[in-house]
Amino acid sequence: MTTASPDSISCQVPELAVIVPTYNEAGSVEELARRVAITLEGVDWELIFVDDDSPDGTAERARELSRRDARIRVIQRVGRRGLSSACIEGMLATSAPYLAVMDGDLQHDETLLPRMLAAIKDEDLEIVVGSRYVAGGGVGDWSARRHSMSKVATRIGQRLIRVELQDPMSGFFMVRASVIHACVRRLTGVGFKILLDIFSTAERPLRFRELPFTFRQRHAGSSKLDNAVLWEYLLMLTQKMIGPLIPVRFIAFSVIGGLGVFVHMAVLWPMLQWLGSGAFLLSQSAATLVAMTSNFFLNNLLTYRDMRLRGRQLLWGWLSFVVTCSVGALANVGIANYLFHEGHSGWFLSALAGILVGAVWNYAVTAVYTWKRPQTK
Ligand code: GDD
Ligand code: MN
């Protein structure tokens, strides 16, 4: 039996890892792996699918591929969702010095990979971006609506990173692993825009270049980008601006809580008009319940979009939300009252302290009991 020499061991370390986040891409993974193998002929590569436990069995399909070709690997995350965080996890799961991130539906042109690799090495770049908006690139047949939405998001993105990057929204790029290792703890990992996250987190401007490609038609399955992705984008930008200390979900939760005050008044006022002030207790109770309910649904739709409750879980979620917020309201009133009477704080500060304690309580408890884990559906 011969033992492997150090040299033969070192050449088994891939030079390039291609990270592919997937959610319900069972119909595309095989074709993607086939094309990657062809286009990266002569390169030491590995292909890492990061799947969020897709109900269509993408992870198992990818594992089948990996049984035939050990260069293909699978990370299956259970109870987690999110494109950016999946990419980060994949990038940390390899020892390759170059990392490419690419969609799993074949919309990104894999034949660009060898040119990206050559550019990043030969031109001593830190990151190479597959770009739809430099000469020679394109978006194929997008609807006018998607086109203009992409334009607006791109402008905002360019503002954030203050870099002359034509396509900061691209999800197709190749980066040196050292760049990721240096900034990974400060990435938000929120939403879809991992490239923007990297550029805005890096301490100094990255040496980059954009290579054109044409965004192709989806191979199979359907897009996971819907309208609420815009909201996730805003969350990511906000998180970037307020820093890591305050969780962005708390901000969203508080904004929705503030809206609840308007809902409350919109119910209370007409009820008092109809029933008279003798029915204040009834009206106030009804308004509170309606406001809590609308807050619950808004949070379910926006703040916890990635963990959205559906069907029967909605009922239990609503119930735990109402119970939690009722306790929060008691704490709010109790503390404000104490500060006002015993602590001799002014009415404004007393009220503010009560509201803050109530909000933190509501947020912390519902984060644990109401929205527990991502829903897979
Ligand atoms: N693991 C994981 N978890 N993967 C996900 C998730 C998730 O929650 N959501 C989406 N993906 C995967 C999809 O399976 C696909 O491989 C890739 O991420 C992109 O998702 P699509 O649903 O195909 O998005 P798209 O084609 O509309 O958007 C793409 O184009 C944008 C440019 O307009 C994405 O690549 C964006 O990153 C890109 O910016
Ligand atoms: Mn796609």
Side-chain angles (χ1 to χ4, degrees):
M1 200 177 90
T2 54
T3 46
S5 73
D7 278 350
S8 70
I9 290 173
S10 72
C11 80
Q12 286 168 16
V13 173
E15 179 174 40
L16 172 67
V18 182
I19 320 293
V20 178
T22 56
Y23 194 75
N24 286 343
E25 306 290 1
S28 301
V29 284
E30 182 162 8
E31 178 62 14
L32 182 106
R34 194 182 71 82
R35 294 197 197 177
V36 165
I38 292 172
T39 196
L40 289 180
E41 176 88 57
V43 175
D44 261 326
W45 56 268
E46 69 175 332
L47 176 59
I48 305 176
F49 290 104
V50 189
D51 184 69
D52 285 351
D53 206 18
S54 305
D56 77 347
T58 305
E60 193 42 42
R61 285 287 260 286
R63 269 194 296 271
E64 272 163 28
L65 301 172
S66 130
R67 281 181 204 114
R68 282 185 263 145
D69 186 337
R71 295 173 296 182
I72 300 172
R73 298 200 284 132
V74 183
I75 297 174
Q76 182 176 1
R77 308 196 302 171
V78 176
R80 309 262 309 274
R81 273 304 297 275
L83 177 48
S84 280
S85 65
C87 295
I88 295 170
E89 224 153 298
M91 291 194 279
L92 293 178
T94 175
S95 50
Y98 300 104
L99 316 170
V101 169
M102 193 168 87
D103 285 358
D105 55 4
L106 298 165
Q107 292 198 274
H108 293 156
D109 183 356
E110 71 288 339
T111 62
L112 196 64
L113 289 170
R115 269 181 287 152
M116 288 170 131
L117 187 61
I120 203 169
K121 283 162 71 176
D122 301 346
E123 301 171 30
D124 191 29
L125 300 168
E126 289 169 302
I127 187 161
V128 176
V129 177
S131 172
R132 298 159 295 172
Y133 300 133
V134 294
V139 293
D141 51 357
W142 268 8
S143 69
R145 184 163 170 274
R146 169 128 201 208
H147 218 116
S148 56
M149 266 178 66
S150 176
K151 274 254 160 62
V152 173
T154 300
R155 290 239 176 80
I156 305 176
Q158 284 166 333
R159 284 246 157 147
L160 177 77
I161 58 175
R162 294 191 210 92
V163 171
E164 286 290 306
L165 190 60
Q166 300 307 310
D167 195 357
M169 314 302 283
S170 176
F172 185 27
F173 59 92
M174 190 179 293
V175 61
R176 282 178 193 266
S178 53
V179 171
I180 298 302
H181 294 156
C183 73
V184 67
R185 286 178 192 80
R186 283 169 290 125
L187 295 174
T188 68
V190 175
F192 266 64
K193 296 303 153 195
I194 176 71
L195 182 68
L196 206 61
D197 206 353
I198 294 172
F199 266 93
S200 60
T201 304
E203 248 151 34
R204 41 173 188 77
L206 296 172
R207 292 191 304 279
F208 74 94
R209 192 177 142 194
E210 289 180 87
L211 294 179
F213 82 100
T214 301
F215 200 68
R216 290 195 294 230
Q217 286 279 9
R218 181 171 249 286
H219 179 71
S222 55
S223 172
K224 279 94 229 166
L225 281 195
D226 53 22
N227 286 337
V229 157
L230 201 65
W231 165 259
E232 282 193 341
Y233 183 50
L234 288 178
L235 283 189
M236 195 271 265
L237 296 177
T238 317
Q239 181 78 83
K240 224 49 262 178
M241 283 181 292
I242 59 177
L245 225 54
I246 308 173
V248 72
R249 281 196 218 266
F250 179 68
I251 305 282
F253 192 88
S254 307
V255 169
I256 290 171
L259 283 177
V261 176
F262 290 96
V263 174
H264 187 110
M265 297 308 173
V267 175
L268 183 63
W269 188 74
M271 277 190 82
L272 287 177
Q273 299 301 306
W274 283 331
L275 305 172
S277 51
F280 184 79
L281 188 65
L282 176 74
S283 311
Q284 172 74 355
S285 307
T288 306
L289 196 66
V290 173
M292 279 179 182
T293 303
S294 84
N295 281 7
F296 168 72
F297 282 103
L298 280 175
N299 277 310
N300 194 46
L301 210 64
L302 297 171
T303 316
Y304 291 102
R305 212 182 91 70
D306 52 340
M307 307 190 187
R308 196 155 36 173
L309 305 172
R310 293 167 210 261
R312 271 180 48 186
Q313 291 171 321
L314 260 181
L315 185 67
W316 289 112
W318 173 79
L319 207 65
S320 68
F321 188 85
V322 166
V323 170
T324 305
C325 293
S326 304
V327 176
L330 283 179
N332 171 348
V333 173
I335 285 169
N337 192 44
Y338 176 83
L339 286 179
F340 185 68
H341 287 295
E342 313 290 327
H344 304 290
S345 309
W347 64 270
F348 188 77
L349 278 185
S350 304
L352 205 62
I355 289 171
L356 193 68
V357 170
V360 171
W361 159 273
N362 289 349
Y363 172 71
V365 177
T366 57
V368 176
Y369 289 105
T370 306
W371 289 281
K372 280 173 276 209
R373 61 194 178 84
Q375 303 303 307
T376 40
K377 215 174 269 164

